[in-house]
Amino acid sequence: MPDLLSTPFLISAVVACIAGMVRGFAGFGAAMLMTPVFSALYGPAVGIALCLLLEIAVALPLLPRVVRLVDWRRIGVLLVAAAIGVPFGNLTLTWADPEPMRWAISAIVLGAVIMLASGWRFSGRPGTATTLTAGATSGFLNGLSGMAGPPIAFYYLAGEDPAARVRANLTTYFVFVDLFAITAFASRDLIGWSTGVYGLFLAPAVIAGGLLGERLFPLASERFYRWLALVLLVCVALGSLLL
C-alpha cells in the first residue's frame, strides 16, 4: 500500500495528471513526462513499467470516441513490426550502456523535428517498408525506455492526415504497443506487485488529465496541433537525456 501523502507519490500524481492531459489532447507525449520523473523516483525498471501501465489507463476512456477515425490496416502493420521490436528494446535495457543510447535517441528525434519543421512530408502515402520501419523502431524504443512515441508521431505528422485522424491513430496504436511492452516486462519479472498497486492508485490522476485534454482538443486548430506535436517531440529529445 503506497503512502498517499508521501512526497514521491504526490509528485507522481501531479505528473501523471499533466501527462494525461497531454496524451488526451495530442494522442501521445505522456511518457516523455512520466518516464524521467518515475525513473528518478523509483528506478528505471519500475518507473518505465509504471509509465506503461498508466499509458494504457489514460487511453482506454478515449478509445470509444476515436476508433471510427482509425486506419486499422496501417495500425496492424505498425503493430506487427512493433511486436518484434519491443523484446529487443527490453533486452537492450538490461545490458546496454545507457549513456550512448540516450544521446542517440535525442539526436534522432531532433533530426526528425528539424525535417518536419522544414515542411518535409511523405510524397503520397508511406509504403509498407516505411511503415514496418516506423513500427519496429517504435517498439524497440518502447521496450528500451517506455517511449514509443517519436517514430510514430514522425510517421503520422509527415503524412497528410488531418489532426483528428492523426490523434485517433496515435491514441489507438499506443494502447496495443504498450500492452506488448508490459507483456515483455512481465515475462522477465520486471513488473512487481507494488508497481501494479502504485499504478492502480495513480490511474485516477492520469485518467482525469486525459479527459481534460480530450475536452481541449476541439478548441485547437490544425496548425496549433502540429506545432504542439513538434514541441512535444523536442521535449522528448531533451528528456531522453535524463532517462
Side-chain angles (χ1 to χ4, degrees):
M1 175 75 178
D3 182 355
L4 302 184
L5 297 179
S6 67
T7 299
F9 183 84
L10 293 176
I11 292 173
S12 298
V14 172
V15 171
C17 185
I18 296 172
M21 184 167 62
V22 170
R23 176 66 178 275
F25 180 88
F28 76 104
M32 74 166 192
L33 295 172
M34 291 190 290
T35 300
V37 176
F38 292 173
S39 295
L41 292 174
Y42 308 113
V46 173
I48 293 171
L50 184 57
C51 175
L52 291 170
L53 292 172
L54 293 179
E55 283 260 303
I56 292 178
V58 68
L60 290 179
L62 306 176
L63 283 177
R65 288 182 285 275
V66 302
V67 290
R68 62 185 176 82
L69 298 174
V70 174
D71 182 344
W72 289 104
R73 181 183 176 278
R74 277 207 283 174
I75 288 288
V77 175
L78 288 168
L79 288 173
V80 168
I84 297 172
V86 164
F88 289 100
N90 193 242
L91 287 173
T92 303
L93 173 67
T94 59
W95 60 259
D97 183 354
E99 188 68 21
M101 297 300 298
R102 290 198 298 265
W103 285 99
I105 292 171
S106 179
I108 291 169
V109 175
L110 285 175
V113 169
I114 291 171
M115 288 180 65
L116 290 174
S118 71
W120 183 87
R121 296 288 185 272
F122 288 125
S123 178
R125 288 173 65 87
T128 301
T130 301
T131 303
L132 288 171
T133 301
T137 306
S138 172
F140 177 83
L141 288 180
N142 209 32
L144 175 69
S145 64
M147 292 196 297
I152 301 302
F154 175 78
Y155 173 82
Y156 278 109
L157 290 171
E160 299 178 352
D161 289 336
R165 190 174 293 275
V166 170
R167 175 176 171 271
N169 282 294
L170 291 174
T171 298
T172 304
Y173 169 81
F174 289 127
V175 171
F176 291 101
V177 79
D178 286 340
L179 284 172
F180 293 157
I182 286 174
T183 300
F185 271 66
S187 67
R188 306 185 68 235
D189 295 323
L190 295 177
I191 298 182
W193 172 254
S194 61
T195 305
V197 172
Y198 268 97
L200 182 64
F201 279 92
L202 288 172
V206 77
I207 290 172
L211 294 175
L212 176 59
E214 182 185 44
R215 291 290 187 103
L216 295 175
F217 174 74
L219 304 178
S221 66
E222 290 273 339
R223 181 178 176 83
F224 178 82
Y225 176 86
R226 288 187 175 272
W227 276 106
L228 176 64
L230 292 182
V231 171
L232 291 177
L233 286 172
V234 171
C235 292
V236 169
L238 299 177
S240 68
L241 300 178
L242 304 176
L243 288 176

